[in-house]
Amino acid sequence: MNEDSRKPERIRMVDYQIAARGVRDERVLTVMRELPRHLFVPEPYRAAAYQDSPLPIGQGQTISQPYIVARMTELLEISPEDRVLEIGTGSGYQAAILGRLAREVVTIERIPEVADQAKKNLEHLGILNVQVEVTDGTEGYPLGAPYNAILVTASTPEVPRPLMDQLADGGRLVAPVGSRDLQDLVRLIRKGEQFTRESHGGVVFVPLLGKYGWKL
Ligand code: SAH
């Protein structure tokens, strides 16, 4: 089976799971019609790759539900010149989408085995503008700061302060903030030293473990 044999499934995924629920950003929809999500999940789950759910990727971690990926990406309002930071690389799927929309992406993962697989997935697709780093992402990645957009793809009790500090003026930060069981999808927009905070509905993510997230 070649990679495009599953394009019809992706088009249905975008139409029925994503556009139908209100995601309108054409750039996001186009990238998600193109990018082969099935290549980011382990072999046993590939058949289910275009269903409306998260899937296991090993080490107790998951690739997020396609609709949530689309919604978070839309909220980041990424321009082609933007530099983006993602915390929680997982499979690399979200990072690949960000890479197609932005100039460059740094993505941080705390589990080395997970990061290695993500690197392979990105390499296989020839995605060269996504840099994967293994460290505690709750501290951000000061070397590449400031970032025009920051996405946290694991749940956190509060937005880690270092991430706010690494956001550029005018930048957007999206994170699932709340308890271990249920979070609110929060967007912060930075204007100088002021941050406006919006709430975009209930979500459930695996925990962000680290210094400024959930304690290990
Ligand atoms: N964005 C991913 C899904 C992320 S799942 C995708 O597209 O597939 C959340 C990931 O965050 C997990 O892989 C987990 O290991 C990682 N994680 C948890 N705490 C972290 C931390 N402090 N720093 C970096 N990564 C972390």
Side-chain angles (χ1 to χ4, degrees):
M1 254 206 289
N2 71 29
E3 284 170 18
D4 245 31
S5 66
R6 302 197 62 180
K7 181 138 190 205
E9 291 175 80
R10 283 199 293 280
I11 291 174
R12 283 196 294 277
M13 171 186 86
V14 168
D15 289 351
Y16 296 116
Q17 301 171 28
I18 299 174
R21 289 191 183 121
V23 175
R24 293 280 174 266
D25 187 329
E26 263 313 317
R27 292 184 70 222
V28 175
L29 300 178
T30 300
V31 171
M32 291 188 71
R33 284 188 195 104
E34 297 296 330
L35 198 68
R37 185 175 190 258
H38 64 283
L39 298 183
F40 289 85
V41 302
E43 193 62 51
Y45 298 105
R46 287 201 174 163
Y50 298 107
Q51 291 177 13
D52 191 16
S53 64
L55 290 171
I57 56 167
Q59 310 279 333
Q61 307 305 323
T62 54
I63 180 173
S64 310
Q65 180 192 9
Y67 166 68
I68 297 296
V69 170
R71 185 74 186 118
M72 292 192 302
T73 308
E74 179 175 64
L75 286 170
L76 290 171
E77 293 179 8
I78 292 168
S79 311
E81 323 74 59
D82 281 352
R83 300 189 51 263
V84 181
L85 175 67
E86 181 195 26
I87 311 302
T89 310
S91 66
Y93 176 68
Q94 173 77 69
I97 292 174
L98 297 171
R100 289 276 168 90
L101 296 170
R103 179 152 60 94
E104 56 188 42
V105 177
V106 178
T107 180
I108 314 289
E109 172 57 53
R110 62 177 284 275
I111 304 175
E113 294 80 5
V114 171
D116 282 344
Q117 185 60 52
K119 278 185 205 164
K120 285 188 193 139
N121 295 343
L122 292 162
E123 249 166 53
H124 178 77
L125 290 169
I127 296 173
L128 301 173
N129 63 339
V130 177
Q131 176 188 347
V132 181
E133 297 290 340
V134 177
T135 179
D136 175 6
T138 70
E139 306 203 50
Y141 195 70
L143 263 177
Y147 303 94
N148 307 100
I150 300 180
L151 177 59
V152 184
T153 64
S155 76
T156 175
E158 284 302 334
V159 176
R161 184 70 221 186
L163 300 184
M164 294 170 66
D165 294 336
Q166 290 169 34
L167 193 62
D169 194 11
R172 293 78 56 201
L173 183 155
V174 171
V177 180
S179 68
R180 284 268 193 159
D181 305 328
L182 179 66
Q183 305 92 38
D184 186 27
L185 195 58
V186 165
R187 175 165 73 170
L188 302 183
I189 299 177
R190 181 171 193 166
K191 294 269 147 48
E193 290 312 306
Q194 303 287 94
F195 292 83
T196 60
R197 185 180 172 120
E198 305 161 355
S199 171
H200 290 276
V203 286
V204 179
F205 278 81
V206 298
L208 182 75
L209 301 172
K211 187 169 174 194
Y212 298 92
W214 300 103
K215 300 288 174 278
L216 279 160

